[in-house]
Amino acid sequence: MAATPSKKRIVIVGGSFGGINTAYALRRKLRDRVNITVISREAEFTFMPSLPWVVLGWRDPARLQVSLAGPLAKRGIRFVHGDVLGLDPDRAEVRTGGEGFPYDYLVIASGAELDYAAVPGIGPDAHTQSTFTTAEAAAARDALARALRLDRGRIVIGAAPGASCIGPGYEIAMQIDTALRRIRRRHRFHIEFVTPEPFVGHFGVGGIGKSGRMFEDEFAERHISGVVNAGIVEARPDRLVLASGTEHAFDFGLVIPAFLGSPFVRGAAGLTNPRGFVTVTPELRSTKFENIYAVGVAIAIAPPAPTPVPVAVPKTGGMTDLMALAAAHNIAADIAGGSRVDGLTLAASCIADAGDTAFWLRADPFLPPRNRVQHKRGKWAHYLKAGFEIYYLARIRNDWPPLEFGW
Ligand SMILES: Cc1cc2nc3c(=O)[nH]c(=O)nc-3n(C[C@H](O)[C@H](O)[C@H](O)COP(=O)(O)OP(=O)(O)OC[C@H]3O[C@@H](n4cnc5c(N)ncnc54)[C@H](O)[C@@H]3O)c2cc1C
């Protein structure tokens, strides 16, 4: 699409839930009044909620990806496969290695860096597995398959201090239990869940209604030992070491790391909190720069209450979708006029899969105190999650409008 002086230039960094949904929503709302560029380090969109199924060997990772260039080009959105290395808010420009991209509006949807370095020995280059990319999940799958071939074994699923995305750890622990029971070898394996949360089912948000009791009961029925308030300080080749001095030996160990904001965001003075997450107003606009918005994992959300070992607030895919729509709505209002919306006080729904059943949780709003919470458990939720994967990938391919909102 040729640039004309009257068209606003919108640059979006990130090609995942936040970036793609913002780009599509902006195109729908502003049509040809804007030039939209999406810059992403990866050429594909990956449906990360299904990565735990890759770890279990229940999904081919290739099935979870959509190549971005084609679908974006069809909607007149420029796609740049590149790594943003710098942001200069005063010149209103981001830079990849070879090119500068000036903008009228910037949307930061760059998620997080995985902070494996914070705990010596964790991470796929060291002693524990992880599940944030298809490559990590495939490596974890192979390591798990090796461990399950042992005559007996110890499985430890953990999360580092300050982790926020702990939900997949719950899923993997319960799915391994399901897989072992299916082959009648559960009695040969010990499964531990080692978490910084103050109670099982806290999820970084103080729990969702009775989620603490629910997951405590679920773990009891599945014989999964929950170790809470755990500050993992080191991983050795066969064990996790906690700040309390206790050790948790494993044949298969998977540890979810804490997150840091992207380096290019951390480098821009005044844009972020100390961990590198963009501080935003309820309209998802940077508290410092009027023409910068941020959505999804990239934004700063303070924990509802302190915990003995730090746990950060998760930003789920569902929340990120809604933030993308809200940011697009507010940028459209900046450009074309109209009402503005609050993209921070969100309701969130999530399905935690256990392999043989699943939990559907909804919190409105996401952080307490809340107007409404709902939880349901059943095999239907497992199938709903599987169906949602197919729907969501088709939605990214075809720019289907999302299901549950009015903006
Ligand atoms: C294993 C797992 C299971 C999950 N399960 C669920 C679930 O069941 N339900 C749910 O709602 N959510 C789930 N989530 C969370 C969900 O995946 C995230 O909320 C969502 O991915 C956040 O989207 P995002 O766009 O903010 O960031 P991300 O998905 O992290 O994407 C960031 C994007 O920015 C790009 N990028 C980063 N830095 C740069 C740079 N410097 N230059 C260019 N591009 C850059 C990346 O390549 C990527 O495209 C899960 C997450 C994981 C990892």
Side-chain angles (χ1 to χ4, degrees):
M1 196 179 296
T4 62
S6 61
K7 288 193 183 190
K8 297 288 185 196
R9 297 155 306 176
I10 303 177
V11 173
I12 299 169
V13 183
S16 183
F17 288 74
I20 300 307
N21 283 300
T22 307
Y24 284 164
L26 282 166
R27 179 56 82 222
R28 283 197 296 274
K29 282 172 187 294
L30 292 168
R31 300 184 181 274
D32 59 359
R33 294 176 68 170
V34 285
N35 285 317
I36 305 171
T37 302
V38 171
I39 309 174
S40 181
R41 190 186 279 158
E42 276 108 43
E44 297 86 20
F45 169 88
T46 300
F47 188 70
M48 288 199 272
S50 294
L51 290 179
W53 287 333
V54 173
V55 175
L56 270 289
W58 297 341
R59 270 299 177 287
D60 173 0
R63 177 176 150 178
L64 305 179
Q65 296 193 306
V66 174
S67 172
L68 286 173
L72 290 175
K74 250 197 240 164
R75 278 143 200 94
I77 297 168
R78 181 180 174 202
F79 176 62
V80 178
H81 180 200
D83 202 348
V84 172
L85 301 175
L87 160 62
D88 184 339
D90 299 323
R91 290 182 57 196
E93 185 176 270
V94 292
R95 270 185 301 100
T96 59
E99 205 180 337
F101 297 85
Y103 59 80
D104 296 299
Y105 290 92
L106 173 67
V107 180
I108 298 172
S110 50
E113 299 284 308
L114 304 169
D115 192 10
Y116 293 121
V119 180
I122 68 161
D125 293 333
H127 308 310
T128 59
Q129 304 296 323
S130 191
T131 182
F132 284 87
T133 63
T134 51
E136 285 185 355
R141 172 197 62 204
D142 297 344
L144 179 63
R146 282 194 298 276
L148 297 191
R149 281 198 290 270
L150 298 172
D151 181 46
R152 53 178 62 239
R154 297 151 304 180
I155 311 285
V156 175
I157 310 298
S164 57
C165 188
I166 302 178
Y170 281 83
E171 293 188 302
I172 290 168
M174 294 188 291
Q175 289 164 353
I176 293 174
D177 164 68
T178 296
L180 283 167
R181 279 188 289 109
R182 279 183 184 152
I183 54 172
R184 300 198 57 77
R185 296 201 358 98
R186 179 64 182 88
H187 62 295
R188 310 292 288 173
F189 287 81
H190 187 236
I191 305 180
E192 272 187 316
F193 187 75
V194 178
T195 178
E197 298 157 280
F199 56 87
V200 166
H202 177 280
F203 298 126
V205 294
I208 299 174
K210 63 179 181 189
S211 62
R213 288 201 297 279
M214 274 178 87
F215 281 89
E216 190 132 320
D217 283 355
E218 190 71 22
F219 275 18
E221 276 172 26
R222 292 175 182 271
H223 304 284
I224 297 172
S225 312
V227 180
V228 297
N229 290 317
I232 302 172
V233 290
E234 186 187 352
R236 297 190 190 142
D238 64 348
R239 63 196 56 233
L240 297 182
V241 183
L242 304 192
S244 59
T246 58
E247 297 189 355
H248 298 266
F250 60 76
D251 299 293
F252 174 83
L254 182 147
V255 176
I256 288 163
F259 288 168
L260 280 172
S262 285
F264 82 91
V265 185
R266 297 206 300 271
L271 186 62
T272 71
N273 72 6
R275 296 286 300 172
F277 294 98
V278 182
T279 51
V280 291
T281 67
E283 295 177 356
L284 301 171
R285 195 199 284 270
S286 154
T287 50
K288 174 138 187 198
F289 302 101
E290 287 231 312
N291 58 347
I292 298 182
Y293 284 77
V295 299
V297 171
I299 73 163
I301 302 182
T307 48
V309 179
V311 186
V313 174
K315 297 121 197 179
T316 67
M319 288 165 72
T320 303
D321 277 12
L322 292 176
M323 287 186 215
L325 295 169
H329 183 98
N330 291 336
I331 292 170
D334 287 347
I335 293 172
S339 65
R340 305 181 64 82
V341 293
D342 176 345
L344 261 189
T345 316
L346 297 169
S349 312
C350 185
I351 297 175
D353 181 63
D356 53 352
T357 188
F359 299 83
W360 182 75
L361 306 169
R362 182 169 171 80
D364 179 12
F366 186 56
L367 292 179
R370 303 186 176 100
N371 296 308
R372 192 166 187 213
V373 292
Q374 290 166 279
H375 347 69
K376 297 190 188 313
R377 178 186 188 278
K379 189 131 193 160
W380 60 270
H382 168 80
Y383 292 120
L384 186 61
K385 186 154 184 156
F388 192 74
E389 169 199 296
I390 296 166
Y391 155 78
Y392 204 92
L393 289 165
R395 185 173 126 192
I396 295 294
R397 259 183 223 109
N398 302 309
D399 182 17
W400 290 346
L403 290 175
E404 58 163 320
F405 42 79
W407 306 325

